[in-house]
Amino acid sequence: MGRSFSDLAWFIGARLLQLIPVLFGVILLTFLLSHVAVKNPCEAWNPHAKRNVILACQHFWGFNQPLPVQFEKYLSLLLQGNWGTDPSGSPVLPAILAGVPETLELVLASLFLMIVIGITLGVVAARYAGRWPDHLVRIFYLSGWAAPTYLAAILLSIVVAPAIGFPTENAFTYNPPPFPQPTHMSVLDAMLAGSGSGTLDALKHLALPSIALAFLNLGIITRMTRGSMLDILPLDFIKGARMKGLSEERVLFRHALRNSLITTTTVLGFTASGLLAGTIVVEEVFAWPGIGRYSFNAILGYNFAGTIGVVVVFAIAVVVANLLADIAYGFLDPRVEWR
Amino acid sequence: MEGPPRPSPPGIGVTLPKEPGLGETLSEALQTLRANLLTLVGFVLVVLILGLALLVWAVPVVTGLFGPALSILPYDPNALNPNASYLPPGPHHWFGTDEDGRDLFARVLTALPLDMGIAVVIVGAAVMIGGGLGLVSGFWETSRTARVVSATILRVTDIFLAFPTLVLALAIAALLGRDLTSTLIALIATWWPYYVRLVRGEVLTIKHQGYIPAARALGVREPTILFRHVLRNLLEPLVVYMTLDIGTVLVTFSTIAFVAIPLPPNQPEWGSMIANYQGYLPQFLWMVLAPGAAIFVSVLSFSLLGDGMRDVLDPRTRRAFARVRANLASPEPVPGSAEA
């Protein structure tokens, strides 16, 4: 194993192969949960329906068949690309796919905030380790952790947004917006359409939800940057750079930070899970049309196919995020070999 | 190794190190706390919060045994008082009152033992289940069966770790029946996998330290090695992680209560209170801020304590910390440096 592109391809292939048993387990687990825990889904869907309606419903969905038969049927349809339908009969897959770019935009925006703010704060905290800037940074990032996402989200949407004149719902003020949406990422669409006011509108809509989402995970980035900077700052090459007479910012941000970023990158993968969980709450509060909101409605609406579908999408997202973090790690650290 | 330091056998110039006694451990813990002001603040707050929770819960129970149940709460948390509704925080109602004139301070305090108890129970259960499985999969690898068991544990753990805890917990709780019990079951069912990873990782590190093969060579039995040598070294990282985790559980539980499964209004709970009162924003901000601040302060206290303990207990960070301080304290850095 080495560092050539064929090694990288093997590495990615092997990791994606490992995804298969995990996905199977995830599907089996969610399927069992939804079909064992809920005694009679038809009654959950129509609480006041008559007996014969319930029976017809059970027959229609095949709930009266043995569980293994139901699972086999579900799985074979899934492998053919049919992810099933929600209780009202509309297919699940298009609805989930429609939410993916919207959620991706939200997550990327808050990832951007997390990285920029988190790394800066981490560098400052490490530079002044044990003194008041360090303490302030620690209080700040621990508050991000301590303030539940839903609290930050409702305070931002109900109290802060009206005060500063920011919109609180959806990705655009006009729905649908007056230009085509090829990517379904609001800011990107507006920029592609060359609409300045549209871009500003989209950014304003994106700002508060992405802040609410970023606040929670800011701490991890800050902590890791601070920790790895503390490891690197006492090393000789930093002293050397100082002795050369380089400015302190240059020493910190060019020499030290570049090396400490290697550690920070790895934790970015871990934050994926937390960010996705956060989207459920943030999208619900800000009426953001992504998968977080879809999964919330699917779970609470006894939409089994939808629930399994979003869980599968989330599992893939978490694994891919960790894979991307590993690849980035490999590119940043020349000693790493793909295996 | 028990008892006082043994004299070295003749011919071998080795003295076995004495194990630290209780006094030394305590004084070390005190030093840890004193090393960082914020950690000390966190510690004091955690003690206060837990003590208050205990008082709120225990005083009515204990006094109820001997006569009329007393309470340390200033008001009945569920007493409706239409004459005192929507009152802002003031000398009579410290946190204000809600739309039915219920005292928010009393309600926030009533919720304290419930939320804290739930967090402690869930973390405890997760440590028992996940820690046990992690110990097995990390330590027990002597036979073929053991390896199969370990591999199975790890695969199942991977499946649980592959998707966001909140999604799974929400799904389980929503499917099981949408009440407090189902939320508890859901959180325990989703919380253990982290501990498998944590404990297994630590066990694997400890196992390859010189003293484990040394103990084996001395003829120490396996269970003794496990409990005396492995488990004891595990405690430190485990306690740090659990401290931080109590905060995370608190947030996750209240999130589920907020978004999907609120408790009934006569059972105050922080997340459910925020869910009920958010309709009165932004005019009656205190209604949301009171339970919000309760969550915030509780989680922050546990985080401050855990984060600080981690910094001081982790020898790597501790050393680096000391070096940086020594390096930067004097003389002040190179000329031209910016004081950010």
Side-chain angles (χ1 to χ4, degrees):
Chain A
M1 289 292 150
R3 287 184 54 80
S4 69
F5 274 99
S6 65
D7 293 324
L8 177 61
W10 273 108
F11 172 75
I12 296 175
R15 286 288 287 272
L16 290 182
L17 270 183
Q18 284 172 14
L19 184 60
I20 293 173
V22 170
L23 278 186
F24 180 77
V26 163
I27 293 170
L28 180 63
L29 187 71
T30 326
F31 186 88
L32 282 180
L33 261 174
S34 49
H35 286 71
V36 174
V38 180
K39 287 281 176 301
N40 192 340
C42 286
E43 262 172 31
W45 291 340
N46 325 298
H48 304 296
K50 289 208 172 69
R51 179 105 192 101
N52 55 346
V53 179
I54 299 277
L55 284 178
C57 163
Q58 277 181 316
H59 184 72
F60 177 77
W61 290 91
F63 289 135
N64 42 11
Q65 286 166 344
L67 264 190
V69 176
Q70 288 187 47
F71 184 62
E72 197 194 319
K73 207 166 136 196
Y74 175 79
L75 209 59
S76 65
L77 284 176
L78 190 70
L79 290 177
Q80 292 163 31
N82 179 352
W83 290 39
T85 59
D86 66 8
S88 70
S90 54
V92 160
L93 187 59
I96 295 177
L97 287 183
V100 169
E102 309 274 359
T103 299
L104 197 61
E105 175 178 40
L106 186 60
V107 168
L108 286 180
S110 70
L111 209 53
F112 174 78
L113 290 177
M114 272 162 59
I115 292 174
V116 170
I117 302 173
I119 287 181
T120 317
L121 289 181
V123 170
V124 169
R127 168 67 180 74
Y128 297 97
R131 285 188 272 159
W132 63 265
D134 186 21
H135 297 319
L136 282 187
V137 167
R138 174 170 295 196
I139 292 180
F140 179 73
Y141 78 66
L142 287 179
S143 349
W145 196 351
T149 312
Y150 62 89
L151 185 62
I154 61 167
L155 287 181
L156 281 174
S157 75
I158 306 183
V159 182
V160 176
I164 59 174
F166 268 44
T168 56
E169 293 211 329
N170 296 318
F172 286 109
T173 306
Y174 304 102
N175 208 7
F179 41 79
Q181 291 179 277
T183 64
H184 281 279
M185 293 197 189
S186 57
V187 178
L188 207 58
D189 282 339
M191 277 160 64
L192 284 178
S195 159
S197 61
T199 312
L200 191 67
D201 183 47
L203 279 176
K204 273 187 171 179
H205 279 88
L206 186 59
L208 294 179
S210 55
I211 289 175
L213 195 53
F215 199 37
L216 170 76
N217 285 294
L218 205 57
I220 308 172
I221 308 282
T222 315
R223 252 202 77 85
M224 290 313 291
T225 311
R226 174 180 175 274
S228 54
M229 285 288 279
L230 282 180
D231 279 347
I232 284 167
L233 282 180
L235 297 183
D236 285 340
F237 78 97
I238 296 295
K239 283 184 196 150
R242 286 220 174 94
M243 271 189 263
K244 275 199 301 193
L246 296 183
S247 71
E248 186 69 8
E249 298 103 78
R250 213 177 153 79
V251 172
L252 286 179
F253 286 96
R254 290 295 296 271
H255 293 248
L257 181 61
R258 201 178 263 195
N259 285 283
S260 68
L261 276 188
I262 295 172
T263 331
T264 310
T265 318
T266 36
V267 288
L268 278 181
F270 297 135
T271 60
S273 177
L275 276 176
L276 285 177
T279 59
I280 295 190
V281 176
V282 170
E283 288 183 3
E284 180 58 22
V285 172
F286 284 94
W288 191 266
I291 20 176
R293 193 151 173 243
Y294 182 84
S295 57
F296 179 81
N297 292 329
I299 289 171
L300 291 186
Y302 296 105
N303 174 358
F304 297 152
T307 306
I308 302 178
V310 288
V311 161
V312 167
V313 171
F314 277 150
I316 294 176
V318 169
V319 172
V320 168
N322 279 305
L323 181 62
L324 287 180
D326 282 350
I327 294 173
Y329 185 76
F331 278 115
L332 282 172
D333 188 343
R335 291 164 302 185
V336 168
E337 298 198 337
W338 306 116
R339 65 193 159 86
Chain B
M1 304 297 122
E2 200 114 27
R6 289 189 215 160
S8 49
I12 307 172
V14 181
T15 325
L16 292 172
K18 190 165 72 86
E19 275 192 25
L22 185 66
E24 280 168 63
T25 318
L26 268 182
S27 80
E28 203 174 298
L30 273 180
Q31 273 181 355
T32 305
L33 288 177
R34 275 179 47 196
N36 189 326
L37 181 69
L38 285 182
T39 316
L40 185 63
V41 171
F43 177 73
V44 170
L45 282 175
V46 164
V47 170
L48 277 180
I49 288 169
L50 290 180
L52 200 57
L54 199 66
L55 280 181
V56 170
W57 173 76
V59 167
V61 174
V62 173
T63 53
L65 294 177
F66 305 106
L70 300 174
S71 168
I72 64 163
L73 301 174
Y75 295 92
D76 179 349
N78 291 316
L80 307 182
N81 183 359
N83 297 326
S85 50
Y86 302 112
L87 287 181
H92 296 293
H93 300 279
W94 288 2
F95 290 177
T97 58
D98 67 5
E99 78 277 17
D100 291 320
R102 288 172 291 199
D103 180 59
L104 284 172
F105 184 60
R107 287 180 74 75
V108 166
L109 275 190
T110 316
L112 176 66
L114 177 76
D115 279 89
M116 271 300 146
I118 284 169
V120 170
V121 164
I122 287 169
V123 170
V127 171
M128 295 287 174
I129 301 171
L133 292 175
L135 212 54
V136 168
S137 70
F139 188 72
W140 192 41
E141 53 161 21
T142 39
S143 69
R144 202 189 144 85
T145 335
R147 276 193 294 274
V148 172
V149 169
S150 302
T152 315
I153 292 175
L154 287 179
R155 288 294 85 78
V156 176
T157 310
D158 277 349
I159 291 170
F160 273 88
L161 287 176
F163 44 103
T165 315
L166 181 65
V167 180
L168 186 61
L170 195 61
I172 297 180
L175 293 173
L176 279 186
R178 312 194 178 188
D179 52 11
L180 180 59
T181 326
S182 58
T183 312
L184 280 179
I185 295 174
L187 280 174
I188 292 173
T190 48
W191 222 259
W192 57 270
Y194 290 100
Y195 286 93
V196 177
R197 276 291 177 82
L198 176 77
V199 169
R200 186 183 132 86
E202 292 293 331
V203 168
L204 288 182
T205 321
I206 293 167
K207 215 165 65 173
H208 296 116
Q209 306 279 340
Y211 55 83
I212 300 292
R216 283 218 176 94
L218 283 172
V220 181
R221 288 179 314 123
E222 288 292 306
T224 319
I225 292 184
L226 183 61
F227 288 107
R228 291 284 306 266
H229 302 271
V230 177
L231 208 56
R232 195 175 280 192
N233 285 297
L234 253 173
L235 282 182
E236 220 167 70
L238 203 57
V239 166
V240 171
Y241 189 79
M242 283 168 65
T243 314
L244 289 167
D245 212 26
I246 286 186
T248 320
V249 174
L250 212 55
V251 169
T252 312
F253 173 75
S254 69
T255 303
I256 293 180
F258 172 82
V259 294
I261 308 169
L263 267 56
N266 62 358
Q267 175 58 71
E269 190 279 327
W270 295 334
S272 325
M273 285 167 76
I274 296 177
N276 289 336
Y277 294 148
Q278 63 170 328
Y280 301 98
L281 281 175
Q283 204 182 349
F284 307 109
L285 194 56
W286 61 86
M287 286 194 203
V288 164
L289 282 190
I295 299 179
F296 183 79
V297 172
S298 314
V299 180
L300 188 65
S301 316
F302 278 94
S303 311
L304 279 175
L305 179 63
D307 203 44
M309 286 199 303
R310 178 159 59 182
D311 245 14
V312 184
L313 291 178
D314 180 359
R316 222 171 52 102
T317 332
R318 187 171 49 199
R319 240 179 290 124
F321 196 65
R323 273 183 310 192
V324 170
R325 285 189 84 165
N327 242 3
L328 294 178
S330 61
E332 261 311 286
V334 260
S337 70
E339 291 292 324

